[in-house]
Amino acid sequence: MGTQAPETYSPAKDDVKTKEEKAIEDWLPINGSRNAKWWYSAFHNVTAMVGAGVLGLPYAMSELGWGPGIAVMILSWIITLYTLWQMVEMHEMVPGKRFDRYHELGQHVFGEKLGLWIVVPQQLVVEVSLNIIYMVTGGQSLKKFHDVICDGKCKDIKLSYFIMIFASVHFFLSQLPNFNSISAVSLAAAIMSISYSTIAWGASLDKGREANVDYDLRATTTPGKVFGVLGGLGDVAFAYSGHNVVLEIQATIPSTPEKPSKHAMWKGALVAYIIVALCYFPVTFVGYWAFGNSVEDNILITLNKPKWLIAAANMMVVVHVIGSYQVYAMPVFDMIESVLVKKLRFSPSLKLRLVSRTSYVAFTMFIGISFPFFGGLLSFFGGLAFAPTTYFLPCIMWLAVYKPKRFGLSWFTNWICIVIGVLLLVLSPIGGLRQIILTAKTYQFYQ
């Protein structure tokens, strides 16, 4: 009566803790909703994939040439489709558990700490760099729209101001809570990406080949050609970058033992990749056929007529990169908010979300205004971060988890992808960095 047994178990406390953890998980953007259909996977993947990169592919061809360019484009499509399938399969490879985030899969394969260090820095570089590039692309497309409509009759406006106008939309859209809440924006973006890609190759085809079209490599010196090829590889790697949000997209699809999410996800992903091929290959090959090595690093900037169509295409790009920005920003928001509420013990709230997301949008806007080197950014980041997370990290995870028979088909396939991906990782940032340095020599900040 005068003593109490030590408190070894308290169901109430355990239940409260579980409820608190569940409430936090439900509040975070990735876990906030699990009622997506297979077609959500399709248009989210199209929005994630067919972005700024497709506009730079004719330029990449001008750096690679016909033979190597066609080979790299087709090989990249096949490899990244294969690694995408691997990620979809690995999402629920442990019964009763879902790897809703890329880094969670990495932690399962490489260990709690090592998995974080391997995946999170690369994923953040990909997503943040894409958001910065989309800021630049959105501003450039708005400026192009303005210049085409005005036809020299309006006052010239700095690119910096157009990037600010583009960013202003995201200060509002970034407050949408989770992936499913941006579905309408993502669907509009997917439709726009198909539309402006069609306009890009259709207008190029209608214009026909230029009179003195030249299909030699852009550079005239041997070092220039070498660096150009490396930059072209980075441009292609950048174009196939949707893997960084695959698991997060799949997390929104419901799953049961009888009907796992991988079936709906793969169906949508396959549709998305067919659409990717219908967008990428005509834009790349027709654009290069029409303009040769005189094509700009954004095919829509090269095209000038018919003016109304080019103006419309640039506005489509704006709508698309608005959606793409949100798709890639959502996992970043999830990481930021996870750290704030789980590690730093902030209470989940609208105020926390407002401050954290607004700060992130402002950061990407500032960097985009400061360094709008569109072409160089594509190839630099394409090799540095996109190659690992898209081309070979899924293969390393597959080998580590499933351990396919040595020298078997699966073993060889994965190692070929790894070797190609590592070559992209090492070589392509060199070309992009050189292009950034050359551009920076003549660039005046905030013009």
Side-chain angles (χ1 to χ4, degrees), residues 1-5:
M1 195 169 87
T3 61
Q4 283 185 313

Side-chain angles (χ1 to χ4, degrees), residues 373-438:
F373 310 131
F374 180 76
L377 287 171
L378 287 187
S379 53
F380 179 74
F381 285 119
L384 186 66
F386 294 75
T389 55
T390 301
Y391 282 78
F392 68 86
L393 193 54
C395 296
I396 293 173
M397 292 178 175
W398 189 271
L399 290 173
V401 172
Y402 291 102
K403 296 179 174 58
K405 183 181 177 183
R406 184 182 281 263
F407 304 119
L409 180 61
S410 176
W411 188 89
F412 266 119
T413 303
N414 282 289
W415 273 108
I416 289 169
C417 295
I418 291 168
V419 170
I420 292 172
V422 170
L423 287 174
L424 279 173
L425 166 67
V426 173
L427 297 175
S428 55
I430 299 170
L433 185 61
R434 177 178 180 266
Q435 191 175 339
I436 291 171
I437 292 169
L438 291 175

Side-chain angles (χ1 to χ4, degrees), residues 344-373:
L344 303 180
R345 301 297 180 187
F346 282 91
S347 297
S349 65
L350 184 62
K351 183 179 179 182
L352 180 69
R353 187 162 275 170
L354 180 66
V355 172
S356 62
R357 296 189 181 191
T358 300
S359 300
Y360 176 76
V361 173
F363 167 76
T364 55
M365 178 188 74
F366 174 74
I367 300 299
I369 290 170
S370 302
F371 306 103
F373 310 131

Side-chain angles (χ1 to χ4, degrees), residues 148-161:
V148 169
I149 292 297
C150 287
D151 197 20
K153 298 172 185 175
C154 306
K155 182 181 177 181
D156 187 51
I157 300 175
K158 294 179 181 179
L159 175 61
S160 302
Y161 294 145

Side-chain angles (χ1 to χ4, degrees), residues 145 148-149 192 195-196 199 300 306-319:
F145 174 81
V148 169
I149 292 297
M192 291 299 102
S195 302
Y196 72 70
I199 289 172
L300 291 180
K307 287 184 177 179
W308 67 270
L309 191 62
I310 304 308
N314 276 280
M315 281 310 297
M316 290 173 184
V317 173
V318 172
V319 174

Side-chain angles (χ1 to χ4, degrees), residues 170-249:
H170 295 290
F171 286 112
F172 295 98
L173 289 180
S174 65
Q175 298 308 311
L176 293 171
N178 53 50
F179 253 119
N180 278 1
S181 66
I182 63 168
S183 293
V185 178
S186 183
L187 176 60
I191 293 170
M192 291 299 102
S193 67
I194 297 167
S195 302
Y196 72 70
S197 297
T198 304
I199 289 172
W201 69 261
S204 299
L205 189 65
D206 181 68
K207 185 180 185 302
R209 283 200 302 176
E210 291 190 333
N212 299 313
V213 67
D214 187 354
Y215 297 123
D216 289 334
L217 298 183
R218 296 185 74 89
T220 53
T221 63
T222 301
K225 289 178 180 179
V226 172
F227 283 117
V229 168
L230 300 181
L233 291 174
D235 291 344
V236 175
F238 178 91
Y240 291 94
S241 58
H243 292 45
N244 293 276
V245 291
V246 165
L247 295 178
E248 287 81 356
I249 292 170

